Amino acid sequence: MKYFFPILLCCIIFLSGCFAKQNEETPSAKDTVIGYCQLGDESSWRTQNTKSVLTAIENQQGLQVMYQEAKQKQENQIKALRSFIAYQVDIIVFSPIVETGWDTVLQEAQNADIPVIILDRKISTDDDTLFTCFIGSDFTLQGERAGKYVLQKFKRHNDTVSIVELSGTVNSSPAIGRHEGFVNVISSDSKFVITENISGDFMLSRGKEIIRKRLEAHGAEGMDILYSHNDEMTLGAIEEMLNYGISPGEDVVIISVDAQQTMIDNLQNGIINCSIECNPNSGKLLIYSIYNIINEQPIEKYQYLYEQVFTDLNDVSVISSREY
Ligand code: AHR
């Protein structure tokens, strides 16, 4: 009995030391602040992506978020990242508007020991230790899927097939990947020619303006296919085609990336021909990675979301409804 209290005291001191150490080295979710910078709000896809991320973080007890929206400007994103570093957030999450120009600020985050998760769009860097992981889509695969549809759809055509490509933001990873993947596939047959490739910045107003000018100049002549890098630009293009008495989906074969509900409806109504899914719901996967970082567990460097292709060559009546 005379040893009982000294031993108990030692145990308490030892255990409290362990807990204190654990608190020092491994932040629990309770103290974790996430600095999240979204690139803008240019499309319904983007709105859904932001919602998915913010809802997922806010639903986790103890996780806190500092949110900034960069209004389509890289300099605003860099400023936001620097403010997160100054605030000493625990983890930075951001969707880079363009691929290049991130090394300096990411080096600053690394020097401050803040892990960075890149969401949706990729960056181009020689030093991939500057970020912990990437969560998003395989844009080259999306482009290849669009290309495979074209090969299939025009397999009985012998004449030249002219393609107008409505591209996303210049130097953004979806615009680069969707173009490269597409060209890799269609270049197997020389009858396919991309006659125009114009950037509409992923915005409805720009898609509308580009197609209006194009129709004013040449009508639908020389536009067998419209390959549009996102649904928002496609919606603008469709509006202008209808204004010009051109039947989208019939006079011009339309391929659109994103697969939001309006575009699935358009596919089912024969207004477009192929919808390539780009999944905006990255919130759950993000939470999984945040917990792995907090608990110092191994993390998959590149995490891709599940995505599908819907086309008029298949039964489109069975497509389930989208979340946005
Ligand atoms: O980065 C993903 C792309 O950006 C989506 O396809 C598009 O709709 C968004 O604006």
Side-chain angles (χ1 to χ4, degrees):
M1 190 64 187
K2 78 172 175 190
Y3 296 115
F4 177 73
F5 285 109
I7 289 172
L8 183 67
L9 192 65
C10 286
C11 286
I12 290 170
I13 291 169
F14 174 73
L15 287 174
S16 61
C18 287
F19 286 130
K21 194 163 184 333
Q22 195 183 27
N23 277 341
E24 252 169 53
E25 291 177 357
T26 321
S28 67
K30 211 163 103 227
D31 357 88
T32 302
V33 179
I34 314 292
Y36 169 43
C37 178
Q38 178 58 284
L39 63 90
D41 194 20
E42 75 286 4
S43 61
S44 311
W45 187 98
R46 183 71 48 205
T47 311
Q48 175 64 21
N49 180 239
T50 310
K51 186 173 151 204
S52 163
V53 171
L54 289 177
T55 313
I57 296 176
E58 283 159 6
N59 281 345
Q60 296 302 309
Q61 235 190 358
L63 288 189
Q64 292 170 42
V65 65
M66 284 178 73
Y67 174 60
Q68 292 204 36
E69 194 247 275
K71 309 216 172 315
Q72 304 283 123
K73 289 203 163 75
Q74 183 174 31
E75 72 238 45
N76 290 348
Q77 290 206 283
I78 292 175
K79 266 192 215 150
L81 264 49
R82 291 209 163 110
S83 74
F84 297 152
I85 296 168
Y87 188 83
Q88 294 184 306
V89 300
D90 297 294
I91 299 172
I92 289 175
V93 178
F94 85 112
S95 302
I97 180 151
V98 288
E99 273 199 356
T100 49
W102 302 103
D103 284 34
T104 309
V105 70
L106 292 184
Q107 188 62 62
E108 290 166 25
Q110 193 173 69
N111 295 344
D113 248 344
I114 302 175
V116 174
I117 298 178
I118 295 184
L119 210 60
D120 164 33
R121 297 187 181 177
K122 284 185 174 158
I123 62 163
S124 162
T125 177
D126 291 335
D127 180 2
D128 73 357
T129 68
L130 290 176
F131 63 98
T132 305
C133 66
F134 163 82
I135 301 170
S137 300
D138 184 336
F139 298 123
T140 310
L141 179 65
Q142 291 173 354
E144 286 167 1
R145 286 175 164 169
K148 281 183 189 154
Y149 167 77
V150 162
L151 294 191
Q152 184 72 8
K153 178 83 177 171
F154 288 85
K155 67 177 179 209
R156 286 188 228 293
H157 273 248
N158 296 317
D159 303 340
T160 298
V161 178
S162 303
I163 304 168
V164 171
E165 185 171 359
L166 207 42
S167 290
T169 304
V170 175
N171 194 25
S172 68
S173 66
I176 295 169
R178 287 169 190 170
H179 174 73
E180 282 178 2
F182 186 66
V183 169
N184 288 347
V185 174
I186 61 163
S187 56
S188 63
D189 188 333
S190 61
K191 76 180 176 212
F192 295 110
V193 182
I194 298 178
T195 50
E196 285 157 76
N197 183 342
I198 312 162
S199 167
D201 225 0
F202 288 122
M203 291 162 88
L204 187 147
S205 57
R206 291 282 298 123
K208 193 169 153 66
E209 185 191 332
I210 290 164
I211 294 304
R212 178 173 38 78
K213 285 191 181 149
R214 210 263 165 213
L215 292 175
E216 273 168 10
H218 316 286
E221 197 59 40
M223 180 162 52
D224 300 312
I225 297 175
L226 174 69
Y227 170 40
S228 166
H229 285 197
N230 87 335
D231 283 351
E232 218 67 32
M233 295 189 294
T234 313
L235 288 172
I238 289 173
E239 224 178 292
E240 284 304 320
M241 285 182 191
L242 293 172
N243 287 343
Y244 273 79
I246 289 162
S247 294
E250 274 176 38
D251 298 336
V252 181
V253 166
I254 300 184
I255 304 159
S256 186
V257 185
D258 278 352
Q260 65 189 49
Q261 185 60 52
T262 22
M263 217 41 88
I264 295 299
D265 295 343
N266 281 339
L267 177 64
Q268 286 169 333
N269 294 326
I271 293 168
I272 69 157
N273 310 78
C274 172
S275 179
I276 313 279
E277 184 179 20
C278 180
N279 187 346
N281 299 314
S282 43
K284 282 191 189 137
L285 216 47
L286 173 68
I287 294 298
Y288 186 69
S289 293
I290 287 174
Y291 277 103
N292 280 343
I293 290 174
I294 294 171
N295 297 310
E296 294 174 17
Q297 292 300 305
I299 285 195
E300 192 87 33
K301 188 88 182 176
Y302 291 92
Q303 301 173 35
Y304 293 104
L305 295 149
Y306 175 70
E307 294 171 341
Q308 302 174 75
V309 184
F310 310 103
T311 83
D312 60 1
L313 302 174
N314 301 306
D315 178 8
V316 293
S317 65
V318 294
I319 307 169
S320 57
S321 59
R322 319 266 88 200
E323 276 183 60
Y324 74 113

